Amino acid sequence: MTDPVPVPLPARSVRGTVWALANRFGVVARTPGELVGALTGLGPTGPAVVTRPPGAGVPAEVAELVVALRDLGHIRLVTAPGREPGSGGEAACVPAPEAASAPSGAGAAALPDGPGPAAPARPPDLDDPAAVCAADPAAVTAAYECGTGGAHGGGGADGNADGHGGGGADGHGGLRAAWFRAGQSLIREQPPSGRALVLLTALGDDADPRLCPALGALAANAPWRSDWTRVRGDVSPPWPGPVAALAQGTGTWAEHLLVADQRGAIRSVHPADATPAPGTATLPVRITALAPRPDGGLLMLDERGRLHTHGESTLTDAVAATLDAHPGTALAATGTLVLAGDRHGSLHAFGHGGLHQTAAHRGRVTAVAVADGPAPLVCSGGADGTVRIWTPGRGPETTPLAERGFPVTALAVHGRTLAVAWADGLVELRRFGTHETLALRPGPPVRAVAVTRDGSVVVGTDDSLFRVTARSPR
């Protein structure tokens, strides 16, 4: 039997509860419905000890969520009394639960009784970025939900509850909206500099202009530097839309970062500052992968695994014919090579010298990238939670480059630098030939990543597009 894992729920905060449980189970979710959906397809999990379980004064959504998770059958929740983080800040909003429910779950243990909730305390100043980054994140979340703890107040749950835009309207200069966008990352244990960095990646262009330099100063010791951010609702420069696929171009495309949204629109922005660049298109299908070629050709994979091209050649004709019969799940290209992955875990390398194949993964190939050169290095990620490397024409590497208990959601490579995104929301920057790994958790689900020519990382989500650069020498 797996030992119970305590999850101190900020039970009077709906978002805090969702984020805490999502972090416990290794998924990314922003709403109770998203959390239930994300956990529906998972296998049996070990029990989670939920401290300070639903009771009197707790939002109905929290109680309903716990019931819905138990009803899934394979999620084991154990309720136990205990002091929840941020109870002081939250007490200003909702009375504490009167009692904890009894432990439940076959063979599961509960935590021993802990102290009761702390006496109500003044919540942090929600207009002050330093105070917000240093405070208990559960208390900050609850206070933002309830509209307490700021010089201006306001911004209750009926305001910008989805965190989309409205920096000036939320009563906290844009901090509240940014917090809600990135909260699953912010609620984790981390230094204030880390929270400041994450908030910078989620800050809208309508935020108080004093916030960006203030957060930048607070994030000076973070391992990443925030270069630019575009979030839903931004107008100067405009947000390019929800990201389904990203690609940093080379050759003719060198000054272009291509962004495909979930409705088939492809937009081009300058990698240096995200200002619009010439070149947009709209296809009648959803694009799941982009592969610009140095000669100006553009390859695209749709949601049915078929190839779409701009600038066809004999090589791409062969790829298209193959994918019509065997749908692709991932795509990448160089000037002389086209790479495709499939749902069976195989990689197919199409070149003028012929076709090379290898069985790389157990199950679906979820991402593929290629570093060009005399011996192209292919990087692939799979639903099996591995990242593997392969040079077409040679045998595959037997040891994964990286392996975690979560599917890979996106890959990008440039030179010796590799960016990997995982289904639990983690983004990693790796360098071939070393054991260096630099991690970042933006908060929302990461849909795509790109590596620019200078080694910076661009991250795309449903609500944001941002670029960060590693501060450490790489």
Side-chain angles (χ1 to χ4, degrees):
M1 182 185 73
T2 305
D3 292 335
V5 177
V7 183
L9 295 187
R12 284 155 281 173
S13 163
V14 176
R15 288 179 180 82
T17 297
V18 169
W19 296 335
L21 285 172
N23 283 335
R24 156 64 180 95
F25 291 116
V27 298
V28 185
R30 294 159 293 186
T31 66
E34 284 189 5
L35 179 60
V36 173
L39 296 178
T40 297
L42 295 185
T45 67
V49 176
V50 179
T51 62
R52 191 56 57 190
V58 172
E61 287 177 90
V62 174
E64 291 168 1
L65 172 61
V66 173
V67 171
L69 293 177
R70 283 183 173 142
D71 287 347
L72 290 177
H74 61 279
I75 302 294
R76 299 181 61 202
L77 296 179
V78 185
T79 57
R83 178 176 176 175
E84 52 185 298
S87 57
E90 292 170 280
C93 174
V94 181
E98 292 177 356
S101 59
S104 63
L111 293 181
D113 288 355
R122 184 175 181 83
D125 182 351
L126 301 183
D127 299 325
D128 179 357
V132 165
C133 291
D136 179 350
V140 173
T141 302
Y144 275 142
E145 281 191 5
C146 301
T148 61
H152 306 295
D158 61 341
N160 296 309
D162 60 358
H164 298 162
D170 74 358
H172 302 291
L175 275 176
R176 177 177 178 271
W179 188 277
F180 286 165
R181 290 188 189 103
Q184 188 171 334
S185 172
L186 297 166
I187 206 167
R188 289 175 174 269
E189 286 295 327
Q190 59 190 297
S193 60
R195 289 200 180 95
L197 171 71
V198 173
L199 283 168
L200 278 171
T201 68
L203 200 64
D205 70 354
D206 61 348
D208 186 320
R210 295 170 294 183
L211 282 181
C212 192
L215 287 170
L218 291 169
N221 293 326
W224 299 88
R225 182 188 73 236
S226 174
D227 296 329
W228 49 257
T229 297
R230 303 290 174 262
V231 302
R232 185 186 293 269
D234 279 3
V235 295
S236 181
W239 174 61
V243 178
L246 281 176
Q248 165 66 62
T250 60
T252 303
W253 294 103
E255 299 303 319
H256 297 257
L257 176 69
L258 298 178
V259 184
D261 70 15
Q262 293 140 337
R263 295 168 295 181
I266 301 173
R267 297 177 176 86
S268 177
V269 301
H270 293 292
D273 56 11
T275 54
T280 60
T282 301
L283 299 180
V285 294
R286 176 181 173 182
I287 299 302
T288 60
L290 294 171
R293 306 184 71 193
D295 61 2
L298 178 61
L299 309 183
M300 298 150 282
L301 196 68
D302 71 19
E303 59 187 339
R304 296 178 61 185
R306 299 173 303 186
L307 188 72
H308 297 260
T309 63
H310 170 72
E312 296 187 17
S313 68
T314 303
L315 177 59
T316 55
D317 288 344
V319 178
T322 300
L323 295 186
D324 281 344
H326 304 284
T329 57
L331 183 72
T334 69
T336 58
L337 197 65
V338 178
L339 274 298
D342 66 27
R343 65 180 184 274
H344 301 296
S346 295
L347 295 174
H348 311 270
F350 301 85
H352 295 296
L355 171 65
H356 298 279
Q357 298 171 302
T358 186
H361 297 275
R362 300 184 305 276
R364 181 186 181 94
V365 178
T366 55
V368 64
V370 57
D372 204 0
L377 186 65
V378 177
C379 306
S380 62
D384 59 0
T386 66
V387 176
R388 296 184 178 274
I389 57 176
W390 171 57
T391 297
R394 302 179 185 175
E397 296 285 340
T398 57
T399 303
L401 178 68
E403 184 171 14
R404 300 181 69 233
F406 310 98
V408 175
T409 58
L411 284 176
V413 65
H414 180 76
R416 298 176 61 197
T417 300
L418 173 70
V420 187
W422 306 84
D424 67 335
L426 179 69
V427 176
E428 291 183 312
L429 185 64
R430 292 174 172 266
R431 188 170 177 83
F432 296 123
T434 76
H435 296 292
E436 294 179 50
T437 303
L438 191 59
L440 173 69
R441 287 186 180 272
V446 176
R447 306 302 185 191
V449 292
V451 178
T452 65
R453 290 183 297 166
D454 58 4
S456 296
V457 178
V458 181
V459 177
T461 77
D462 293 339
D463 298 314
S464 63
L465 180 72
F466 65 87
R467 170 175 152 160
V468 290
T469 301
R471 292 188 189 275
S472 57
R474 301 193 68 81

